[in-house]
Amino acid sequence: MSSSKVSIFLTGATGYVGGSVLQRLLDHPNADTFDISVIVRNAEKAKILQSKFGANAVVGTHQDLDKLEALAENAHVVFHCADADDVPAAKAILSGLKKRHAKLGDLPILIHTSGVGVLTDEATSTGLFATETIYSDLDVEQLKSIPPTAIHREVDLAIMEADEQGYVRAHIILPSTIYGLAQGSLFDAGVSNPHSIQIPSLIKAALQRKQAGMVGLGKAIWPDVHIDDVADLYVLLLDAVLRDPTTVGHGWEGFYFGENGEHSWYEVQRAIGEALVRRGISEDPEPTPFTMEELVKYFGSEAVGRYYSGSNARCRAERSRSIGWKPRYTTADMLKSVESEMAVVLKEQS
């Protein structure tokens, strides 16, 4: 490997976010200066990534902690775009980066994927109100006040501790409700998943009950961001750090929200209801409250159902915008996307 190349390790290459970030790296103007490694479960996809896309593809899972550690140790930059709550995997990556720092004196860069779900509170995920608490990614004290019991928080705090210890320059990107069809050669080749999770899950539940559903009154609010915009944020952050890391916030000053507007869950469910009516599946576009039994049936548990469409998570991506991020898609685009998302779900079910 040429010493002039930037060694990059990326997790989640076959996923929605990780695939989109990898696509940006492959299409990057400086792509020929990147040495990219990924870890994937599927041996066939690994072959395609190696032969067609020039990535060093290691076959393995995120339970193969020794592989994660070794791949991280060999990388100057790590994009962690997989499970935001996998503590052993995150610690294996941090261990590899710590070894790299000790051996080479290199200060590696970690760009980790968390999520605005960290701002939610399970006890108040009732859909009965919109919180007035709005987080800014520039407000360090506010970010520090998030309880350690919050979703994603255990991994986030481990990363903050690593940054404070000085062996890694850590940045955390927190996407919101991601929507839109991911596109590019990786998706065309069947390597990466082009579909989001959150809104399609709500659509599937609505199709089963033949009417849009909501938690409580649907008043809770979340932000939203298009997959293209959030993928751009990762690469914009990488470019800024490689250009001059001293100008880019890291650690507690390295939280970057991904949002470009916000929606109430009622608005989303109403858009789903209207799409159902247009297809003759329902006669009434108005969402009705999910019962506790329905939440378990459609989302696996009451807690997950409340999280998906009853929780509040409000934030402003002020630090993200301060480094030049200019998202293009709005909440109106997200609501319009329900129609195409439903078409995809129905096609998969036919």
Side-chain angles (χ1 to χ4, degrees):
M1 183 180 73
S2 168
S3 60
S4 65
K5 290 201 170 188
V6 179
S7 51
I8 298 173
F9 170 46
L10 179 140
T11 66
T14 61
Y16 183 53
V17 175
S20 298
V21 175
L22 180 55
Q23 186 70 62
R24 293 296 188 285
L25 296 176
L26 294 171
D27 295 341
H28 195 284
N30 299 329
D32 60 350
T33 69
F34 299 156
D35 267 313
I36 302 172
S37 296
V38 298
I39 184 168
V40 295
R41 289 191 205 91
N42 185 298
E44 194 57 41
K45 289 185 178 183
K47 284 180 188 173
I48 296 170
L49 282 162
Q50 192 101 29
S51 62
K52 187 172 180 180
F53 297 101
N56 169 37
V58 173
V59 177
T61 72
H62 295 151
Q63 285 72 53
D64 295 326
L65 302 181
D66 54 339
K67 291 181 179 179
L68 286 178
E69 184 179 64
L71 285 161
E73 185 181 346
N74 288 322
H76 175 58
V77 178
V78 173
F79 286 96
H80 189 23
C81 303
D83 186 347
D85 297 294
D86 189 336
V87 176
K91 288 188 173 178
I93 289 169
L94 290 172
S95 176
L97 295 175
K98 189 173 187 178
K99 286 183 177 180
R100 180 180 180 86
H101 179 66
K103 284 183 184 177
L104 304 179
D106 178 41
L107 185 58
I109 298 157
L110 173 62
I111 300 177
H112 170 72
T113 308
S114 180
V116 303
V118 74
L119 309 178
T120 64
D121 176 8
E122 185 179 340
T124 59
S125 296
T126 60
L128 297 177
F129 71 99
T131 183
E132 294 182 2
T133 303
I134 301 175
Y135 288 79
S136 166
D137 48 11
L138 286 173
D139 190 334
V140 172
E141 292 311 309
Q142 192 185 35
L143 294 170
K144 285 183 174 181
S145 74
I146 298 168
T149 52
I151 187 173
H152 311 325
R153 192 62 166 173
E154 188 174 359
V155 171
D156 291 357
L157 290 176
I159 291 169
M160 288 302 97
E161 183 181 355
D163 185 276
E164 287 168 353
Q165 289 179 14
Y167 64 83
V168 64
R169 188 179 287 272
H171 312 80
I172 297 182
I173 291 179
L174 303 94
S176 48
T177 297
I178 312 179
Y179 65 95
L181 188 70
Q183 297 180 329
S185 50
L186 284 170
F187 302 95
D188 295 340
V191 170
S192 303
N193 165 40
H195 303 298
S196 63
I197 296 172
Q198 202 167 10
I199 291 175
S201 294
L202 300 177
I203 289 171
K204 288 172 186 175
L207 286 169
Q208 286 187 63
R209 72 199 295 269
K210 293 185 168 46
Q211 185 162 18
M214 60 186 174
V215 173
L217 300 175
K219 289 185 175 181
I221 292 175
W222 262 57
D224 43 77
V225 66
H226 193 280
I227 184 62
D228 288 347
D229 286 332
V230 81
D232 287 345
L233 176 57
Y234 282 84
V235 179
L236 184 73
L237 182 56
L238 172 71
D239 289 344
V241 174
L242 292 179
R243 191 164 51 244
D244 184 359
T246 63
T247 65
V248 183
H250 66 95
W252 285 108
E253 294 184 346
F255 281 69
Y256 297 84
F257 287 134
E259 62 80 23
N260 195 36
E262 57 183 16
H263 57 268
S264 72
W265 289 114
Y266 171 82
E267 290 176 287
V268 174
Q269 297 288 11
R270 175 74 190 199
I272 292 172
E274 289 170 358
L276 290 175
V277 171
R278 281 193 293 273
R279 284 173 167 76
I281 296 169
S282 175
E283 294 181 356
D284 185 358
E286 190 67 12
T288 58
F290 289 117
T291 64
M292 187 178 70
E293 291 75 19
E294 283 184 310
L295 291 175
V296 174
K297 178 181 178 181
Y298 300 133
F299 304 104
S301 73
E302 184 181 358
V304 171
R306 290 187 182 281
Y307 172 75
Y308 265 29
S309 64
S311 59
N312 280 289
R314 302 186 70 185
C315 63
R316 299 290 182 264
E318 293 170 325
R319 189 180 299 278
S320 296
R321 289 181 172 85
S322 76
I323 64 168
W325 185 53
K326 296 176 180 176
R328 294 169 292 152
Y329 297 92
T330 66
T331 298
D333 295 310
M334 184 273 293
L335 294 172
K336 286 178 195 169
S337 77
V338 165
E339 184 67 40
S340 56
E341 293 279 11
M342 185 172 290
V344 170
V345 171
L346 286 167
K347 186 177 178 182
E348 288 175 347
Q349 292 180 352
S350 64

